[in-house]
Amino acid sequence: MTSRKALNVIQDGGADPLGAEPMNPSRRAFLRTAAAGAAVSALAGCGVDVGEFLRSHFKELSRDELAKVLAKVERRNKERFGKDTKVTAEGPRPGVEFGYGLDISRCVGCRRCVYACVKENNQSREQPQIHWIRVLEMEKDHGVDLAHSELYYDADTVPRPGKFYFPVQCQQCRNPPCVKACPTQATWKEQDGIVVIDYDWCIGCRCCMSACPYGARHMNWAEPKLPAAELNPVQHYLGNRPRPKGVVEKCTFCIQRTRNGRYPACVEVCPVGARKFGNLLDPESEIRRVMETKRVFVFKEELATHPQFYYFYAT
Amino acid sequence: MRQKSTPWIVVLLAALVAARALASQPAAKPAAPPEKKKEILYEARPPPFSDGIFPCMECHKDQKDPTRRELGFHDEQQAVFDHDAEHRWCLDCHDLQNRDVLRLASGATVPFTESYRLCGQCHGDKYRDWRAGVHGRRVGMWDGAKTYLLCVSCHNPHSPSFKGVKEITVDGKLTVAPTLEKIKPEPRPARPEEMRGWKRPAEAGR
Ligand code: SF4
């Protein structure tokens, strides 16, 4: 393969293929030294956790520091929900690059995936209601055309005559505009292709939201409303751990499941089997079979985002 | 039932999915195509029989008339039958001698748990896709053991075009069965203005 810049999957710890500038995640190096005195006490005074404010970027954390960070998240979960949770930070597996296929000749627009995702990934249930998957109803006469699409369709039964359904979620781009837009490097692409967010690092500026051409990123405009009884206790630090107010979140291919070999929740729930998932580097995988035998396209190809999320027609 | 777990599979599986408990042995022959390099454990969900309909031989012991005709029983199937109705009838797929099994075109019989072999005789393209995991729903591990559904879990064999499915329990296992009604979608998302305290009229549902 030729090494076209835009197609490189970002290597952890390596040079940043997205920009010419070398990566410098320790943006608070200055603070760490200069703020030792008065600034620190001032921070403590306004309720900010000093240790958290001054800690290193996720990728720079040592094993011990990471363990401390995870323990702290579990502690906070306990305070907030009164429940024990297991928060991990399972890394990408070597030789794995995730690919997702969505069969739009099968999807019937039932929205089961939308709510399975909410349940799995601990989104705020209402005010704000956050859905990582948005199912658009489109007209067969117009094809895939956002100008003729409806997100808020109400129907007694689906599919409706003359319509087809086009679910949209994070496309896990190989050339992610959101990563380039983030001023604090709170979001980045991992080696298996998942674009992740460190909610502790996100300052809520929403630059990524305006950069994303798929509307895949969602802001917690208010304190998320997540009933303790509905909390999913199996959590990933970069995925479905409960979010605070004022941070951005999005689909992570169910990182807490897929890094352990499981299918994402939306894949398992889809009653028509429209959703396919697997390792693009494994020639035997379901997703490779889709790529090799079906008509496949990516959404908004003209933007050169190079998604790892593919739409296809099985018939 | 066939015992699938030879020791080397167990070893391989343990390596692949260390912590996954093998709840039960596969109810049917695994669908893994022989050319597949990696051996992965597949488990079929049980066929979605209507309550009390199986075993068929309880009623069909003495019925051995092979002539194609309008039946005086099984109205529920005859009323909906729409599977190339002009050319097909019961005994094209059901075995005359033993109603508890199905019959291939070759005359060989297959159990209901392997009905996909019967369907695959005509629907070869779908059968290939299904075996590769491209057609139909699967549950489990993308890199390991998974559970698949039979064709008849989603397609009513007597009226096979897909309409909808509902969840059922067979022998304590959750599976799905085809319905003749289409699926009701989940509630639409809230509009932004509705999230700012505006209350949706109660009659609109959600
Ligand atoms: S669950 Fe499957 S069929 Fe239903 S909307 Fe989602 S992708 Fe479409």
Side-chain angles (χ1 to χ4, degrees), chain A residues 70-71 73-74 77 85-89 233-237 241-242:
Chain A
L70 297 179
V73 174
E74 285 173 359
N77 283 345
T85 52
K86 182 84 200 113
V87 183
T88 59
V234 182
Q235 299 173 3
H236 193 286
Y237 180 83
R241 71 180 165 109

Side-chain angles (χ1 to χ4, degrees), chain A residues 5-19:
Chain A
K5 226 178 180 186
L7 280 169
N8 286 348
V9 172
I10 300 173
Q11 304 291 313
D12 266 356
D16 179 13
L18 295 180

Side-chain angles (χ1 to χ4, degrees), chain A residues 93 129 159 268 270 276 294, chain B residues 38 129 136-137 143 182 190:
Chain A
R93 288 193 208 173
Q129 180 195 59
E268 290 202 342
C270 178
K276 301 292 157 199
K294 303 298 172 198
Chain B
K38 274 181 302 183
D129 275 357
R137 182 154 77 106
D143 69 343
K182 293 201 290 178

